[in-house]
Amino acid sequence: MLRLSTLALLACSVPALAQEINVYSHRQPELIQPLVDAFTAETGIAVNVAFVDKGMAERLQAEGDRSPADLVLTVDIARLLQIVEADVLQPVQSDVLEANIPAELRDPNDLWFGLTSRARIVYASKDRVAPGEVTTYEDLASDKWKGRLCTRSGLHDYNVALLGAMVVHHDEAYATTWAEGLKANLARKPDGGDRDQVKAIAAGECDIALGNTYYMGQMLADPEQVPAAESVNIVFPTFEAGGTHLNISGVAMTKSAPNRENALKFMEWLSGDTAQKIYAETNYEFPVKAGVERSELVKSWGEFTPDTTPLAAIAATRGAAVKIMETVNFDG
Ligand code: FE
């Protein structure tokens, strides 16, 4: 991984190396490196990755036309939307991207493209939750879960997107009542990340928790977290009139991309078979391209019906969803 200063230096001092692109990544270097290595081996195009933890949109705005970045890799529709709103992206028309990525997982205006998906599911205690007890997201607000539910902050992007999907499926009034019901069922105040909720189930503090699928893979890969992971089942709730809520990790091209042509090659390659397989095996996510298999572990969690609400529609409800979480004082 190169730091930005190194990137800028490279760009100035070695102009002969035209076969390279620069990527700002919010995703972990361990996940991106195998992809970069495979792409470079196949095409000869070098990929310089700068890991950007916070303030991606602000940084691109501040750099403006001088930004060395060609592409942005990030997780969650909310973060993609922030970058869209910063007006630092350019639309990309590509038959390959359109063929590989389902329409609901990319921007209708071609500004962002989903590369992997993850489901927001329920982790359920093997001991205290009966098979079939978890049904719909709507039902999570019912009395039967009183004192049995754990989750991270209601204002975290993952929960805001889920609530946004609830707004799309019903309306703001319904979603407000649902969020109130969810809050009333909490075993404790929202705290920690998704993995901490699984640990809380293992410790007997709650029976069910909201979480993203890939965290199960991460916990099973860490001997210390295996016992907690093995105390729960993954259950795929659905919306009453839909499927299981998905979010994405995605890619976008900057407005200033200095290496547009090669950057497009990398985008297209990331949506293709080789990269989709690497994604599936490295971070327990779902490939977006039809026909690419999930990892064995992910397959073992079972089949489910993905909700087909376009991510763009969910993104459009973000403001309303945040307001609802604040109105019901979800974390309070
Ligand atoms: Fe995450």
Side-chain angles (χ1 to χ4, degrees), residues 52-98:
V52 179
D53 189 23
K54 289 212 167 82
M56 179 85 81
E58 292 79 0
R59 180 159 169 178
L60 289 167
Q61 254 176 341
E63 291 173 354
D65 291 346
R66 300 177 321 278
S67 177
D70 296 292
L71 299 176
V72 173
L73 287 170
T74 189
V75 293
D76 201 276
I77 185 62
R79 286 171 217 171
L80 286 164
L81 198 71
Q82 269 177 7
I83 302 168
V84 169
E85 285 167 356
D87 194 24
V88 291
L89 299 178
Q90 64 172 301
V92 172
Q93 269 95 35
S94 157
D95 293 344
V96 174
L97 292 173
E98 276 184 32

Short mmCIF file of all heavy atoms in Angstrom, two decimals, residues 52-98:
data_model
loop_
_atom_site.label_atom_id
_atom_site.label_comp_id
_atom_site.label_asym_id
_atom_site.label_seq_id
_atom_site.Cartn_x
_atom_site.Cartn_y
_atom_site.Cartn_z
N VAL A 52 -7.94 5.00 2.79
CA VAL A 52 -8.51 6.22 3.35
C VAL A 52 -9.57 5.80 4.37
O VAL A 52 -10.61 5.26 4.02
CB VAL A 52 -9.17 7.09 2.26
CG1 VAL A 52 -9.78 8.34 2.86
CG2 VAL A 52 -8.14 7.45 1.19
N ASP A 53 -9.28 6.03 5.63
CA ASP A 53 -10.18 5.56 6.68
C ASP A 53 -11.39 6.48 6.83
O ASP A 53 -12.53 6.03 6.88
CB ASP A 53 -9.41 5.48 8.00
CG ASP A 53 -10.23 4.79 9.08
OD1 ASP A 53 -11.14 4.02 8.72
OD2 ASP A 53 -9.96 5.04 10.26
N LYS A 54 -11.13 7.77 6.90
CA LYS A 54 -12.22 8.72 7.13
C LYS A 54 -12.12 9.90 6.16
O LYS A 54 -11.06 10.21 5.66
CB LYS A 54 -12.13 9.26 8.56
CG LYS A 54 -12.49 8.24 9.61
CD LYS A 54 -13.14 8.92 10.83
CE LYS A 54 -13.79 7.90 11.75
NZ LYS A 54 -12.82 7.28 12.68
N GLY A 55 -13.26 10.54 5.91
CA GLY A 55 -13.25 11.79 5.16
C GLY A 55 -12.92 11.65 3.68
O GLY A 55 -12.30 12.53 3.08
N MET A 56 -13.37 10.55 3.09
CA MET A 56 -13.10 10.32 1.67
C MET A 56 -13.66 11.45 0.80
O MET A 56 -12.95 12.01 -0.06
CB MET A 56 -13.73 8.99 1.25
CG MET A 56 -13.56 8.63 -0.19
SD MET A 56 -12.01 7.81 -0.51
CE MET A 56 -12.36 6.12 0.00
N ALA A 57 -14.92 11.79 1.02
CA ALA A 57 -15.57 12.81 0.19
C ALA A 57 -14.87 14.16 0.35
O ALA A 57 -14.59 14.85 -0.64
CB ALA A 57 -17.05 12.93 0.56
N GLU A 58 -14.55 14.51 1.59
CA GLU A 58 -13.89 15.79 1.86
C GLU A 58 -12.52 15.85 1.19
O GLU A 58 -12.13 16.87 0.63
CB GLU A 58 -13.71 16.00 3.37
CG GLU A 58 -15.01 16.19 4.16
CD GLU A 58 -15.75 14.88 4.44
OE1 GLU A 58 -15.24 13.81 4.02
OE2 GLU A 58 -16.82 14.92 5.07
N ARG A 59 -11.82 14.74 1.25
CA ARG A 59 -10.49 14.70 0.67
C ARG A 59 -10.55 14.88 -0.85
O ARG A 59 -9.78 15.65 -1.43
CB ARG A 59 -9.86 13.35 1.00
CG ARG A 59 -8.47 13.19 0.45
CD ARG A 59 -7.79 12.11 1.24
NE ARG A 59 -6.56 11.68 0.64
CZ ARG A 59 -5.77 10.77 1.21
NH1 ARG A 59 -6.13 10.22 2.34
NH2 ARG A 59 -4.65 10.41 0.63
N LEU A 60 -11.48 14.19 -1.49
CA LEU A 60 -11.60 14.32 -2.95
C LEU A 60 -12.00 15.73 -3.33
O LEU A 60 -11.52 16.28 -4.32
CB LEU A 60 -12.61 13.30 -3.48
CG LEU A 60 -12.13 11.84 -3.44
CD1 LEU A 60 -13.29 10.89 -3.68
CD2 LEU A 60 -11.03 11.59 -4.47
N GLN A 61 -12.87 16.32 -2.50
CA GLN A 61 -13.30 17.70 -2.76
C GLN A 61 -12.11 18.66 -2.65
O GLN A 61 -11.91 19.53 -3.48
CB GLN A 61 -14.37 18.11 -1.75
CG GLN A 61 -15.74 18.16 -2.37
CD GLN A 61 -16.81 18.48 -1.32
OE1 GLN A 61 -16.60 18.32 -0.12
NE2 GLN A 61 -17.95 18.93 -1.79
N ALA A 62 -11.34 18.46 -1.59
CA ALA A 62 -10.20 19.35 -1.34
C ALA A 62 -9.16 19.22 -2.45
O ALA A 62 -8.54 20.20 -2.86
CB ALA A 62 -9.58 19.03 0.02
N GLU A 63 -8.97 18.02 -2.94
CA GLU A 63 -7.95 17.80 -3.98
C GLU A 63 -8.42 18.29 -5.35
O GLU A 63 -7.59 18.65 -6.20
CB GLU A 63 -7.58 16.32 -4.05
CG GLU A 63 -6.81 15.85 -2.83
CD GLU A 63 -6.59 14.34 -2.80
OE1 GLU A 63 -7.14 13.63 -3.68
OE2 GLU A 63 -5.91 13.87 -1.90
N GLY A 64 -9.72 18.25 -5.55
CA GLY A 64 -10.29 18.75 -6.80
C GLY A 64 -9.66 18.13 -8.04
O GLY A 64 -9.40 16.93 -8.07
N ASP A 65 -9.38 18.97 -9.04
CA ASP A 65 -8.83 18.49 -10.32
C ASP A 65 -7.45 17.87 -10.16
O ASP A 65 -7.01 17.13 -11.03
CB ASP A 65 -8.69 19.66 -11.31
CG ASP A 65 -10.05 20.15 -11.76
OD1 ASP A 65 -11.03 19.42 -11.52
OD2 ASP A 65 -10.12 21.25 -12.33
N ARG A 66 -6.75 18.21 -9.08
CA ARG A 66 -5.38 17.72 -8.90
C ARG A 66 -5.35 16.35 -8.23
O ARG A 66 -4.29 15.80 -7.98
CB ARG A 66 -4.56 18.70 -8.06
CG ARG A 66 -4.44 20.10 -8.64
CD ARG A 66 -3.66 21.01 -7.69
NE ARG A 66 -3.99 20.78 -6.27
CZ ARG A 66 -5.05 21.29 -5.66
NH1 ARG A 66 -5.89 22.05 -6.31
NH2 ARG A 66 -5.27 21.03 -4.39
N SER A 67 -6.52 15.81 -7.89
CA SER A 67 -6.52 14.52 -7.19
C SER A 67 -5.88 13.45 -8.06
O SER A 67 -6.20 13.32 -9.24
CB SER A 67 -7.95 14.10 -6.85
OG SER A 67 -7.93 12.83 -6.23
N PRO A 68 -4.99 12.64 -7.47
CA PRO A 68 -4.41 11.54 -8.23
C PRO A 68 -5.37 10.35 -8.34
O PRO A 68 -5.13 9.42 -9.10
CB PRO A 68 -3.18 11.15 -7.40
CG PRO A 68 -3.51 11.56 -6.01
CD PRO A 68 -4.43 12.75 -6.11
N ALA A 69 -6.47 10.40 -7.58
CA ALA A 69 -7.35 9.23 -7.50
C ALA A 69 -8.14 9.04 -8.79
O ALA A 69 -8.71 9.99 -9.33
CB ALA A 69 -8.31 9.39 -6.33
N ASP A 70 -8.18 7.80 -9.26
CA ASP A 70 -9.05 7.45 -10.38
C ASP A 70 -10.34 6.82 -9.88
O ASP A 70 -11.41 7.08 -10.42
CB ASP A 70 -8.34 6.42 -11.29
CG ASP A 70 -7.10 6.98 -11.94
OD1 ASP A 70 -7.26 7.87 -12.79
OD2 ASP A 70 -5.98 6.53 -11.60
N LEU A 71 -10.20 5.98 -8.86
CA LEU A 71 -11.34 5.22 -8.38
C LEU A 71 -11.45 5.29 -6.86
O LEU A 71 -10.46 5.49 -6.17
CB LEU A 71 -11.21 3.74 -8.77
CG LEU A 71 -11.16 3.39 -10.25
CD1 LEU A 71 -10.93 1.89 -10.42
CD2 LEU A 71 -12.43 3.82 -10.97
N VAL A 72 -12.67 5.08 -6.40
CA VAL A 72 -12.95 5.00 -4.97
C VAL A 72 -13.59 3.65 -4.69
O VAL A 72 -14.52 3.25 -5.40
CB VAL A 72 -13.92 6.12 -4.56
CG1 VAL A 72 -14.35 5.96 -3.13
CG2 VAL A 72 -13.29 7.48 -4.77
N LEU A 73 -13.08 2.96 -3.68
CA LEU A 73 -13.71 1.71 -3.24
C LEU A 73 -14.22 1.92 -1.83
O LEU A 73 -13.46 2.34 -0.95
CB LEU A 73 -12.70 0.56 -3.22
CG LEU A 73 -12.23 -0.01 -4.55
CD1 LEU A 73 -11.05 -0.96 -4.32
CD2 LEU A 73 -13.36 -0.74 -5.26
N THR A 74 -15.50 1.63 -1.59
CA THR A 74 -16.00 1.81 -0.23
C THR A 74 -17.15 0.86 0.06
O THR A 74 -17.62 0.15 -0.83
CB THR A 74 -16.42 3.28 0.01
OG1 THR A 74 -16.70 3.46 1.41
CG2 THR A 74 -17.64 3.65 -0.79
N VAL A 75 -17.56 0.81 1.31
CA VAL A 75 -18.71 -0.02 1.68
C VAL A 75 -19.90 0.87 2.02
O VAL A 75 -19.72 2.01 2.44
CB VAL A 75 -18.44 -0.93 2.91
CG1 VAL A 75 -17.40 -1.97 2.58
CG2 VAL A 75 -18.02 -0.12 4.11
N ASP A 76 -21.05 0.33 1.83
CA ASP A 76 -22.32 0.92 2.26
C ASP A 76 -22.80 2.02 1.32
O ASP A 76 -22.07 2.93 0.95
CB ASP A 76 -22.25 1.47 3.67
CG ASP A 76 -23.64 1.59 4.26
OD1 ASP A 76 -24.30 2.61 4.01
OD2 ASP A 76 -24.08 0.64 4.91
N ILE A 77 -24.06 1.93 1.01
CA ILE A 77 -24.70 2.89 0.12
C ILE A 77 -24.61 4.31 0.67
O ILE A 77 -24.47 5.28 -0.08
CB ILE A 77 -26.16 2.47 -0.16
CG1 ILE A 77 -26.81 3.39 -1.19
CG2 ILE A 77 -27.01 2.41 1.10
CD1 ILE A 77 -26.12 3.36 -2.52
N ALA A 78 -24.63 4.46 2.00
CA ALA A 78 -24.57 5.80 2.59
C ALA A 78 -23.26 6.49 2.25
O ALA A 78 -23.22 7.68 1.94
CB ALA A 78 -24.72 5.71 4.11
N ARG A 79 -22.17 5.73 2.30
CA ARG A 79 -20.87 6.34 2.01
C ARG A 79 -20.71 6.63 0.53
O ARG A 79 -20.11 7.63 0.14
CB ARG A 79 -19.74 5.45 2.54
CG ARG A 79 -19.68 5.55 4.06
CD ARG A 79 -18.74 4.55 4.68
NE ARG A 79 -19.34 4.08 5.93
CZ ARG A 79 -18.88 3.08 6.65
NH1 ARG A 79 -17.83 2.41 6.25
NH2 ARG A 79 -19.48 2.75 7.76
N LEU A 80 -21.26 5.77 -0.30
CA LEU A 80 -21.25 6.06 -1.74
C LEU A 80 -22.04 7.35 -2.02
O LEU A 80 -21.64 8.19 -2.80
CB LEU A 80 -21.83 4.89 -2.53
CG LEU A 80 -20.91 3.66 -2.63
CD1 LEU A 80 -21.68 2.43 -3.07
CD2 LEU A 80 -19.76 3.94 -3.59
N LEU A 81 -23.17 7.46 -1.31
CA LEU A 81 -24.02 8.63 -1.50
C LEU A 81 -23.33 9.93 -1.08
O LEU A 81 -23.46 10.96 -1.75
CB LEU A 81 -25.30 8.45 -0.69
CG LEU A 81 -26.46 9.34 -1.10
CD1 LEU A 81 -27.01 8.88 -2.44
CD2 LEU A 81 -27.55 9.32 -0.05
N GLN A 82 -22.57 9.85 0.01
CA GLN A 82 -21.82 11.03 0.45
C GLN A 82 -20.87 11.51 -0.64
O GLN A 82 -20.71 12.71 -0.86
CB GLN A 82 -20.95 10.67 1.66
CG GLN A 82 -21.62 10.88 3.00
CD GLN A 82 -20.71 10.41 4.14
OE1 GLN A 82 -19.56 10.05 3.92
NE2 GLN A 82 -21.26 10.41 5.34
N ILE A 83 -20.26 10.55 -1.31
CA ILE A 83 -19.30 10.90 -2.36
C ILE A 83 -20.05 11.45 -3.58
O ILE A 83 -19.59 12.39 -4.22
CB ILE A 83 -18.42 9.69 -2.70
CG1 ILE A 83 -17.69 9.22 -1.44
CG2 ILE A 83 -17.41 10.04 -3.78
CD1 ILE A 83 -17.01 7.88 -1.57
N VAL A 84 -21.21 10.89 -3.86
CA VAL A 84 -22.04 11.44 -4.94
C VAL A 84 -22.39 12.89 -4.64
O VAL A 84 -22.26 13.77 -5.49
CB VAL A 84 -23.35 10.62 -5.10
CG1 VAL A 84 -24.33 11.33 -6.02
CG2 VAL A 84 -23.05 9.22 -5.63
N GLU A 85 -22.80 13.12 -3.38
CA GLU A 85 -23.24 14.47 -3.01
C GLU A 85 -22.10 15.48 -3.00
O GLU A 85 -22.32 16.68 -3.15
CB GLU A 85 -23.98 14.43 -1.66
CG GLU A 85 -25.38 13.85 -1.83
CD GLU A 85 -26.07 13.48 -0.52
OE1 GLU A 85 -25.44 13.60 0.55
OE2 GLU A 85 -27.25 13.07 -0.59
N ALA A 86 -20.89 15.00 -2.83
CA ALA A 86 -19.72 15.89 -2.87
C ALA A 86 -19.39 16.31 -4.30
O ALA A 86 -18.52 17.15 -4.52
CB ALA A 86 -18.52 15.19 -2.24
N ASP A 87 -20.09 15.70 -5.27
CA ASP A 87 -19.93 16.07 -6.68
C ASP A 87 -18.50 15.88 -7.18
O ASP A 87 -17.94 16.74 -7.85
CB ASP A 87 -20.38 17.54 -6.89
CG ASP A 87 -20.58 17.86 -8.36
OD1 ASP A 87 -20.82 16.93 -9.15
OD2 ASP A 87 -20.46 19.06 -8.72
N VAL A 88 -17.92 14.73 -6.85
CA VAL A 88 -16.54 14.46 -7.27
C VAL A 88 -16.47 13.21 -8.17
O VAL A 88 -15.38 12.71 -8.44
CB VAL A 88 -15.60 14.26 -6.05
CG1 VAL A 88 -15.41 15.58 -5.31
CG2 VAL A 88 -16.15 13.20 -5.10
N LEU A 89 -17.63 12.73 -8.62
CA LEU A 89 -17.65 11.52 -9.43
C LEU A 89 -18.05 11.81 -10.87
O LEU A 89 -18.68 12.81 -11.15
CB LEU A 89 -18.63 10.50 -8.84
CG LEU A 89 -18.34 10.02 -7.42
CD1 LEU A 89 -19.43 9.05 -6.98
CD2 LEU A 89 -16.97 9.36 -7.34
N GLN A 90 -17.67 10.91 -11.77
CA GLN A 90 -18.17 10.99 -13.14
C GLN A 90 -18.93 9.71 -13.47
O GLN A 90 -18.59 8.63 -12.98
CB GLN A 90 -17.03 11.20 -14.13
CG GLN A 90 -16.03 10.07 -14.22
CD GLN A 90 -15.04 10.28 -15.36
OE1 GLN A 90 -15.42 10.37 -16.53
NE2 GLN A 90 -13.76 10.38 -15.02
N PRO A 91 -19.97 9.84 -14.30
CA PRO A 91 -20.72 8.64 -14.69
C PRO A 91 -19.88 7.76 -15.61
O PRO A 91 -19.01 8.25 -16.33
CB PRO A 91 -21.93 9.20 -15.45
CG PRO A 91 -21.56 10.57 -15.84
CD PRO A 91 -20.50 11.06 -14.90
N VAL A 92 -20.13 6.47 -15.52
CA VAL A 92 -19.39 5.50 -16.33
C VAL A 92 -20.40 4.64 -17.09
O VAL A 92 -21.24 3.98 -16.48
CB VAL A 92 -18.53 4.59 -15.43
CG1 VAL A 92 -17.91 3.47 -16.23
CG2 VAL A 92 -17.45 5.41 -14.73
N GLN A 93 -20.33 4.69 -18.40
CA GLN A 93 -21.20 3.82 -19.21
C GLN A 93 -20.38 2.62 -19.66
O GLN A 93 -19.35 2.78 -20.30
CB GLN A 93 -21.75 4.55 -20.44
CG GLN A 93 -23.10 5.23 -20.18
CD GLN A 93 -22.94 6.68 -19.81
OE1 GLN A 93 -22.04 7.35 -20.31
NE2 GLN A 93 -23.79 7.18 -18.92
N SER A 94 -20.85 1.45 -19.28
CA SER A 94 -20.11 0.24 -19.63
C SER A 94 -21.06 -0.93 -19.78
O SER A 94 -21.81 -1.26 -18.85
CB SER A 94 -19.09 -0.06 -18.53
OG SER A 94 -18.75 -1.43 -18.52
N ASP A 95 -21.03 -1.55 -20.94
CA ASP A 95 -21.86 -2.74 -21.16
C ASP A 95 -21.47 -3.87 -20.23
O ASP A 95 -22.31 -4.65 -19.79
CB ASP A 95 -21.72 -3.22 -22.62
CG ASP A 95 -22.32 -2.21 -23.60
OD1 ASP A 95 -23.08 -1.33 -23.15
OD2 ASP A 95 -22.02 -2.31 -24.81
N VAL A 96 -20.17 -3.97 -19.94
CA VAL A 96 -19.68 -5.04 -19.07
C VAL A 96 -20.25 -4.87 -17.66
O VAL A 96 -20.78 -5.81 -17.06
CB VAL A 96 -18.13 -5.03 -19.01
CG1 VAL A 96 -17.62 -6.04 -17.99
CG2 VAL A 96 -17.55 -5.32 -20.39
N LEU A 97 -20.19 -3.64 -17.13
CA LEU A 97 -20.72 -3.40 -15.78
C LEU A 97 -22.23 -3.64 -15.76
O LEU A 97 -22.75 -4.22 -14.80
CB LEU A 97 -20.39 -1.97 -15.33
CG LEU A 97 -18.90 -1.68 -15.07
CD1 LEU A 97 -18.68 -0.20 -14.79
CD2 LEU A 97 -18.37 -2.52 -13.91
N GLU A 98 -22.91 -3.22 -16.80
CA GLU A 98 -24.36 -3.43 -16.85
C GLU A 98 -24.72 -4.90 -16.91
O GLU A 98 -25.72 -5.34 -16.34
CB GLU A 98 -24.97 -2.69 -18.04
CG GLU A 98 -25.25 -1.24 -17.73
CD GLU A 98 -25.93 -0.51 -18.87
OE1 GLU A 98 -26.70 -1.15 -19.61
OE2 GLU A 98 -25.67 0.70 -19.01
#
